[in-house]
Amino acid sequence: MFEKLKNLKTYEAGKPIELVVREYGIKPEEIIKLASNENPYGPSPKVIEAVKKNAKNMHRYPDDSFYELKEGLSQKFGVEPKNIVIGAGSDQVLEFAIHGIAPKKVLMAGITFAMYEIYSKQVGAEIIKTPSITHNLDEFYELYKKHKPEIIFLCVPNNPLGECLDAKAVYDFIEKIDNDTLIIIDGAYQEFASYKDKNKEIKPKDILKYKNVLYTGTFSKAYGLGGMRVGYGIANEYIIQNLHKLRPPFNITTLSLTAAINALKDQEWVEMGIKNNFIEMEKYISFAEERGIKYFDSFTNFIVLFIENSTEIAKALLKKGIIIRDMASYGFSAIRITIGKPEENDKLLKILREIS
Ligand code: PMP
């Protein structure tokens, strides 16, 4: 029993605030969580208002067609509702696609979002990774020709390293790939990348003409709704119809739906968060440069610092109630820090300067 899962690891989620409260006896309001790339500003106050107002309807299933949400996304992206599937986080859309295809082989960057590998192994796929840890499309193409994987994952920008391919490079790559390989463009952090550099902006409507490209996006990052679990996939109708075959009924909650619909209506809030993200990121860049610490130019809401003794540093921060990601499990000493609010970043950096 469960033979197929023998070599599967469970996803290692960022430590929850509750765990630090229990283990270190620190008050929840004193804990700074910068480990899961959440939006430190949270959702728009208008979203909170709308969710409160609709709370009385939580005994009702949501509108399973997600009509209003799809309308909102259609307007945002210039696509039609028939080109959209909604998931409980974009994780679930990835799951639909991978389980729906049940590939024998998949191809991804040397270090990229862990769920690609986990979902693929669940269906017994062989995982092929590029030698480079960041996205190198020449390597992708060589390995594509050699292995003919049924799915290629491009994480644009990439979690956990933060680098980002240019949109043009992605489009040129798509042209070289046959229709029987699905290319998944994971745009979980696209709002950040396209704000920082227009050359990084992938427009989902531009990929509809391809029979083999799926774009995924999420409300968990720029929209501040990680806890509500809402994501989406955009593709041509054939792909979307097939993904719907795997979707369980009512796969997001009534209140998640309310939250996502209203989050789309407050773009000003989203832009405020993104703008502050890059202003605050400069503080970490200054720290790294001052100490000669290597870092990747980040197009996301987190930054990776190649700092020595990352495990000890992460532990020392945790004892002080600050949760970040140690990246030692990737085989190098680095930490990934989600960019927080100004006071959170200042506190973290003050401690980092003391202990490193
Ligand atoms: N893709 C990437 C690259 C991510 O970093 C994440 C979240 N960590 C996801 C997808 C999934 O996000 P969600 O399920 O919250 O939409």
Side-chain angles (χ1 to χ4, degrees), residues 5-254:
L5 306 183
K6 210 170 55 199
N7 298 322
L8 244 167
K9 285 199 206 112
T10 35
Y11 181 79
E12 201 190 314
K15 282 193 175 40
I17 288 176
E18 293 79 354
L19 183 133
V20 184
V21 172
R22 283 197 302 274
E23 282 190 4
Y24 297 94
I26 302 169
K27 292 194 198 107
E29 59 275 17
E30 282 169 15
I31 291 170
I32 296 177
K33 186 180 179 220
L34 300 174
S36 299
N37 308 336
E38 296 150 334
N39 185 332
Y41 303 97
S44 147
K46 290 178 190 158
V47 169
I48 297 174
E49 225 16 72
V51 169
K52 275 189 190 159
K53 231 170 116 187
N54 202 28
K56 62 180 183 301
N57 287 322
M58 67 171 83
H59 60 303
R60 300 280 176 214
Y61 287 121
D63 164 14
D64 191 54
S65 72
F66 306 128
Y67 178 84
E68 213 182 328
L69 178 57
K70 286 189 185 171
E71 281 297 319
L73 287 167
S74 298
Q75 279 171 25
K76 174 174 155 86
F77 291 117
V79 301
E80 289 187 48
K82 67 177 186 209
N83 298 118
I84 302 172
V85 63
I86 302 298
S90 52
D91 271 339
Q92 198 183 31
V93 179
L94 295 170
E95 183 184 8
F96 295 159
I98 299 165
H99 285 191
I101 291 176
K104 289 202 176 60
K105 291 182 183 184
V106 299
L107 173 59
M108 63 190 77
I111 292 184
T112 190
F113 184 46
M115 289 312 296
Y116 308 154
E117 181 166 346
I118 293 177
Y119 286 134
S120 300
K121 280 189 175 165
Q122 286 171 359
V123 292
E126 181 189 338
I127 313 296
I128 299 153
K129 293 184 179 177
T130 61
S132 295
I133 57 173
T134 54
H135 285 66
N136 177 322
L137 288 177
D138 293 334
E139 290 178 9
F140 267 86
Y141 189 57
E142 284 310 307
L143 288 168
Y144 160 73
K145 282 192 297 189
K146 187 167 167 207
H147 295 281
K148 288 284 166 136
E150 292 101 318
I151 303 183
I152 298 176
F153 298 95
L154 299 179
C155 195
V156 195
N158 190 20
N159 179 21
L161 296 176
E163 96 280 4
C164 190
L165 290 166
D166 279 350
K168 173 146 189 335
V170 173
Y171 295 149
D172 290 349
F173 179 76
I174 292 172
E175 293 289 344
K176 297 201 290 187
I177 305 300
D178 288 341
N179 271 345
D180 45 10
T181 294
L182 179 73
I183 301 166
I184 299 184
I185 302 175
D186 183 339
Y189 303 91
Q190 258 292 314
E191 289 89 351
F192 295 96
S194 51
Y195 173 90
K196 179 167 169 174
D197 181 350
K198 279 281 159 238
N199 292 324
K200 309 291 182 193
E201 185 176 10
I202 308 265
K203 295 201 176 92
K205 77 170 187 313
D206 293 342
I207 57 108
L208 295 185
K209 60 176 181 282
Y210 300 105
K211 289 202 177 71
N212 62 331
V213 183
L214 168 66
Y215 176 91
T216 57
T218 183
F219 284 88
S220 302
K221 311 295 174 188
Y223 287 88
L225 294 181
M228 296 306 258
R229 314 302 301 122
V230 190
Y232 50 88
I234 300 178
N236 76 41
E237 211 180 342
Y238 174 73
I239 294 178
I240 297 299
Q241 275 171 356
N242 278 290
L243 299 187
H244 271 121
K245 293 180 187 169
L246 286 105
R247 188 180 69 82
F250 315 118
N251 58 321
I252 66 167
T253 72
T254 299

Side-chain angles (χ1 to χ4, degrees), residues 244-314:
H244 271 121
K245 293 180 187 169
L246 286 105
R247 188 180 69 82
F250 315 118
N251 58 321
I252 66 167
T253 72
T254 299
L255 297 181
S256 306
L257 182 59
T258 304
I261 290 167
N262 285 281
L264 278 179
K265 292 179 184 162
D266 194 352
Q267 289 297 325
E268 242 175 72
W269 180 264
V270 176
E271 276 161 32
M272 175 281 288
I274 297 174
K275 197 168 154 205
N276 284 341
N277 173 67
F278 288 112
I279 293 173
E280 287 297 305
M281 195 184 284
E282 288 301 320
K283 293 180 179 169
Y284 291 98
I285 293 174
S286 301
F287 168 74
E289 285 184 350
E290 178 188 298
R291 297 286 179 102
I293 293 169
K294 201 182 138 219
Y295 63 94
F296 278 126
D297 191 16
S298 170
F299 293 83
T300 63
N301 63 349
F302 55 85
I303 188 162
V304 173
L305 303 180
F306 289 81
I307 197 164
E308 277 171 37
N309 304 321
S310 63
T311 305
E312 286 75 46
I313 285 179

Side-chain angles (χ1 to χ4, degrees), residues 32 280 283 340-348:
I32 296 177
E280 287 297 305
K283 293 180 179 169
K341 289 181 185 166
E343 61 276 18
E344 295 175 326
N345 301 322
D346 293 345
K347 185 165 174 199
L348 193 163

